[in-house]
Amino acid sequence: MDLTKLGWNADLDRQFAPHQAKGLIPARVAVEDKHFFRIWTADAEILAQVTGKCMHEARGSNSKLPKVGDWVAVKLVANEEKAMIQAILPRRTQLCRKMAGRGITEHILATNIDTAFMVSSADASFDAGRLEQMLFMAHESGVRPVVLLNKIDLCVDLDARLADAARVTGNTLVLPVCALTGRGVKELAKLIKPGDSAVFIGASGVGKSSLINRLYGEEIQATVEVRTHDAKGRHTTSWREMIFLPQGGVVIDTPGMREFHIWIANEGSKQAFPEVGALAGRCYYRDCTHTQENKCAVREALAAGTLPRERYDSFLKLQLEIRYLRQAERSAAWQNRKKTGRGARGVPGKRD
Ligand SMILES: Nc1nc2c(ncn2[C@@H]2O[C@H](COP(=O)(O)OP(=O)(O)OP(=O)(O)O)[C@@H](O)[C@H]2O)c(=O)[nH]1
Ligand SMILES: [Mg+2]
Ligand SMILES: [Zn+2]
């Protein structure tokens, strides 16, 4: 395989030079699992592991470990269909979300992406709030977003639905599609050029895998269809997987997302206001908003003049934004539950 078809370019060539000098070869991470990676080299798809050194350098920070879409420098293990990942080349873009569950962990969905297809269902489960959050994430990541309004066969008034979407999409391209009939799939295919990398994201059951199958031309990804003859039943995508399209370009299928947290804004705040972050750690209340609480180290510094007023003001402004986004996310999720009274695929308590 010609690596340029996977997106290899002159920049990567330059970045790879020191690794080449050490006899390493370039590869792209196609699948990330708990215990292994599947990578594509120019010659083959092979299993790969991370070296102990790499693990140590990551120091528990998940984002420093290889992710789907990463270009890596590997050493082939002699006489085995295996490789050791020695280094990750700098990421051009990275698309992230907050991991669901306790605590906040950033979770990189995919890296080195050109286009993020934000898939929404045009049926009654359409959720403008969720779409807005997905768009925010794409914009923050420097990835081109395209909105796919899927399942238009299930939508009674497409114009009205498009108008709903337009309220949150701004200048972003919105493409109505139908994985069932193939409508709009040609236009979709045109948006992925050879060498491009695209990722499909969106709630579980909106039809990400179905659209990818359509693009590929055959059933390559399992979809969530209920198969009565098959004990396995539903086939929800459970890991991220990169797929090479016959016409060129790669697409990454992702599992449905339960929530999109605005971790980027959070991370941005930590980076932009390290001194406020340090002060906030000394506030009496753990959830101090630094506006009216007693024993607030941030306001004490403000009063003492060690924290400039304008720094305090812009910090608060960003915090407000983050809180607003969180609130919007929560109410959108709540509205959606109220609307459908069940999970996206009709299974109470399932993901999404
Ligand atoms: N009517 C109709 N059904 C569709 C369409 N696209 C997908 N579906 C159905 O919707 C269900 C979910 O599709 P998937 O492609 O598995 O959804 P997904 O987004 O990959 O879901 P996760 O992997 O759980 O995130 C399946 O039963 C599909 O057959 C469409 O355009 N119209
Ligand atoms: Mg899927
Ligand atoms: Zn405080």
Side-chain angles (χ1 to χ4, degrees), residues 150-151 153 178-180 204-205 207-210 223-225 236-237 256:
N150 189 34
K151 305 198 188 185
D153 57 306
C178 183
L180 193 70
S204 186
K208 299 177 296 294
S209 300
S210 305
T223 61
V224 299
E225 221 120 31
T236 194
T237 306

Side-chain angles (χ1 to χ4, degrees), residues 58-70:
R59 279 189 202 92
S61 163
N62 192 268
S63 59
K64 289 187 184 136
L65 290 170
K67 298 287 157 219
V68 172
D70 270 342

Side-chain angles (χ1 to χ4, degrees), residues 29-77:
V29 177
V31 176
E32 178 198 345
D33 194 30
K34 276 203 192 77
H35 307 290
F36 68 91
F37 298 91
R38 271 215 311 263
I39 58 167
W40 294 344
T41 68
D43 300 317
E45 176 178 318
I46 46 178
L47 285 183
Q49 280 178 318
V50 177
T51 60
K53 183 169 167 278
C54 230
M55 277 290 195
H56 180 73
E57 278 166 9
R59 279 189 202 92
S61 163
N62 192 268
S63 59
K64 289 187 184 136
L65 290 170
K67 298 287 157 219
V68 172
D70 270 342
W71 285 99
V72 290
V74 306
K75 187 177 189 144
L76 295 178
V77 179

